[in-house]
Amino acid sequence: MYLSSMAKVLLGQAMFKVLARAKELECKGRDILHFEIGEPDFDTPDNIKNAAIKALREGKTNYVNAAGIPELREAISEEIEKTRSFKPAIDQILVGPGANPMIYFALACIADKGEEVILPDPGFPSYHAAIAAIGLKPIYVPVKEENDFRLNPDDVAEFLTSKTRIIMMNSPNNPTGAVMSREDVRGIAEIAEDKNIYLFSDEIYSKLVYDAEHYTPAYKDECNERTILIDGFSKSYAMTGWRLGYCIGPKELISKMELLLQTIVSCTPPFIQYSGIEALKGRQDFVSNMREDYRKRRDIIIPGLNKIPGFKCVYPQGAFYAFPNIKGTGMKSDEISELLLEKTGVATLPGTAFGPGGEGYIRFSYATSLEDIKDALKRITNLMEELGVG
Ligand SMILES: Cc1ncc(COP(=O)(O)O)c(C=O)c1O
């Protein structure tokens, strides 16, 4: 079959492949513990659900402004003022069906085939997928375990060339849980300004930070010149299936991204957008309770992983991911991830799903019950002992 060169390089997300295999095993009666999916195990709060139901009942079911309804964009502007200390103009804000499409929309609007994109390695698979689909050149900056996987400005500087169009950063990070320090964020914002290149800051886990603080590089230009900030509702408000996210950037870029959004999805469902207003303006105790729950789980899973023969795991400061080094097992990432699923029923993702630098690591999403975490730790320990690891 004839397929376009773009179709031939599409990558998608590895998570869906592992999830499909885990579900297949479940259908055969296996007891599977899910650590592969990066989503909260909490239900969306009722006040948010009720806002969507009310909007549906009021007939908020038609096409709306492609960039997002003004009330939600105003709520986002106020949210950014509260959390990032600057207030973006309404036409700097684009609402879309999740933060994920914003990655593609932004890259497609700012870079041409062959131009270079600097990104952390390992990093979120959608970055790789969007870069490949658009025909850009990924330039991987290894994030080092000895630096708690934080992206370092000196390392970034080494990879700059005359073809660099954009630097991508993601703090708190998927898959490592690393949170960048104020100095590192500043350092990268300064590089972007000096070199006059774009800076893409994925801040989807900004509300899930434990013993650190979240910093944005947008303080420098308030998203007027080069900084493109994305955030959304999936992780903070347990709304992954609702598909609602947003991007803040320079007006001219946002208006082009809006045209791309119109081309592909027309607009974001209005009743979903009303739920977003409630999420941002309604009670926030859900977010802090969820964060405290994740902290408890982190404080069980990390010491637990560190006791497993062949495993070694840094303490993540944000998101809900553990990224243990499994080199001591003598196995490759793919191999151990598959073995854990097939032999113990523990579904994880191989580190290589996040880039070449993920070799030697696997990712656990610990947004799952404490009971499952403890059970998984036991199952993996037993298997490693059986295999004589350590
Ligand atoms: C770093 C990162 N950015 C963006 C997204 C996409 O989020 P959304 O559900 O809003 O599309 C995810 C989801 O896993 C993520 O981990």
Side-chain angles (χ1 to χ4, degrees):
M1 179 191 281
Y2 177 82
L3 291 171
S4 69
S5 47
M6 192 252 220
K8 286 180 195 150
V9 296
L10 289 175
L11 293 171
Q13 289 195 54
M15 164 184 101
F16 290 110
K17 198 168 141 210
V18 177
L19 180 64
R21 176 64 185 149
K23 292 277 175 207
E24 196 181 312
L25 290 172
E26 251 167 358
C27 284
K28 289 183 183 153
R30 290 280 308 276
D31 171 24
I32 302 296
L33 302 175
H34 292 277
F35 291 86
E36 76 279 35
I37 318 168
E39 69 175 343
D41 61 332
F42 291 85
D43 195 9
T44 308
D46 277 344
N47 62 316
I48 298 176
K49 287 185 185 170
N50 289 335
I53 293 165
K54 180 167 175 281
L56 275 170
R57 292 229 161 91
E58 286 172 356
K60 304 283 187 341
T61 54
N62 299 92
Y63 291 131
V64 283
N65 186 332
I69 58 174
E71 302 94 309
L72 176 58
R73 290 160 91 201
E74 181 52 41
I76 292 168
S77 176
E78 287 164 16
E79 160 77 6
I80 295 295
E81 186 178 27
K82 236 187 318 173
T83 55
R84 318 299 206 281
S85 307
F86 73 96
K87 194 168 188 312
I90 297 302
D91 47 6
Q92 279 184 277
I93 301 172
L94 180 67
V95 172
N100 212 23
M102 299 299 177
I103 299 166
Y104 182 89
F105 294 164
L107 290 176
C109 289
I110 60 180
D112 282 309
K113 260 192 179 21
E115 287 186 322
E116 295 178 358
V117 182
I118 288 189
L119 72 165
D121 178 26
F124 180 47
S126 285
Y127 305 156
H128 310 281
I131 288 168
I134 300 165
L136 309 177
K137 186 168 171 203
I139 305 293
Y140 299 113
V141 178
V143 288
K144 299 173 188 139
E145 188 177 348
E146 58 272 24
N147 191 30
D148 291 340
F149 297 115
R150 290 194 301 267
L151 184 66
N152 179 292
D154 294 336
D155 293 345
V156 168
E158 267 181 47
F159 289 87
L160 292 165
T161 73
S162 58
K163 288 208 174 130
T164 309
R165 172 65 63 209
I166 181 163
I167 300 170
M168 300 184 85
M169 55 178 269
N170 168 219
S171 177
N173 179 270
N174 177 7
T176 65
V179 174
M180 289 170 68
S181 68
R182 186 205 294 262
E183 296 72 49
D184 288 350
V185 170
R186 232 173 241 269
I188 288 178
E190 277 162 16
I191 292 175
E193 186 179 63
D194 280 358
K195 300 288 170 194
N196 193 21
I197 50 180
Y198 285 103
L199 177 52
F200 180 94
S201 181
D202 180 344
E203 303 182 17
I204 191 105
Y205 297 100
S206 60
K207 289 190 194 289
L208 298 176
V209 176
Y210 307 107
D211 320 306
E213 256 187 82
H214 171 70
Y215 296 107
T216 181
Y219 76 92
K220 221 174 194 348
D221 69 343
E222 302 188 345
C223 297
N224 279 309
E225 305 283 329
R226 67 191 71 264
T227 311
I228 302 156
L229 187 165
I230 66 163
D231 203 337
F233 299 79
S234 288
K235 318 289 173 170
S236 310
Y237 298 98
M239 293 176 69
T240 51
W242 293 67
R243 311 310 303 132
L244 188 62
Y246 57 87
C247 177
I248 300 167
K251 289 176 190 172
E252 199 179 338
L253 170 63
I254 290 293
S255 71
K256 293 295 179 190
M257 288 174 64
E258 179 190 340
L259 295 180
L260 195 50
L261 186 144
Q262 286 178 16
T263 308
I264 297 173
V265 288
S266 300
C267 68
T268 309
F271 48 94
I272 303 286
Q273 296 193 50
Y274 282 96
S275 73
I277 299 172
E278 175 60 26
L280 294 178
K281 294 191 150 187
R283 50 190 299 183
Q284 298 297 307
D285 53 343
F286 169 81
V287 182
S288 44
N289 292 341
M290 182 170 67
R291 184 170 53 234
E292 282 319 299
D293 249 56
Y294 289 151
R295 181 201 295 275
K296 281 185 201 136
R297 299 174 197 191
R298 179 195 64 162
D299 293 345
I300 298 287
I301 194 167
I302 305 299
L305 287 169
N306 276 314
K307 284 193 197 122
I308 298 177
F311 281 53
K312 185 163 75 93
C313 192
V314 301
Y315 232 92
Q317 302 292 341
F320 38 63
Y321 302 113
F323 200 61
N325 176 326
I326 48 80
K327 292 173 191 167
T329 64
M331 282 180 260
K332 295 266 185 208
S333 300
D334 281 1
E335 213 181 333
I336 190 164
S337 184
E338 197 180 322
L339 190 76
L340 292 183
L341 179 58
E342 303 294 331
K343 294 268 188 213
T344 70
V346 176
T348 60
L349 289 186
T352 43
F354 301 90
E359 184 53 86
Y361 302 87
I362 56 175
R363 191 195 76 172
F364 288 76
S365 166
Y366 60 80
T368 187
S369 71
L370 268 182
E371 202 186 351
D372 280 6
I373 290 172
K374 289 177 186 163
D375 191 0
L377 290 168
K378 242 186 258 154
R379 291 189 199 185
I380 302 171
T381 305
N382 291 344
L383 177 67
M384 291 303 125
E385 285 173 358
E386 251 172 63
L387 294 172
V389 172

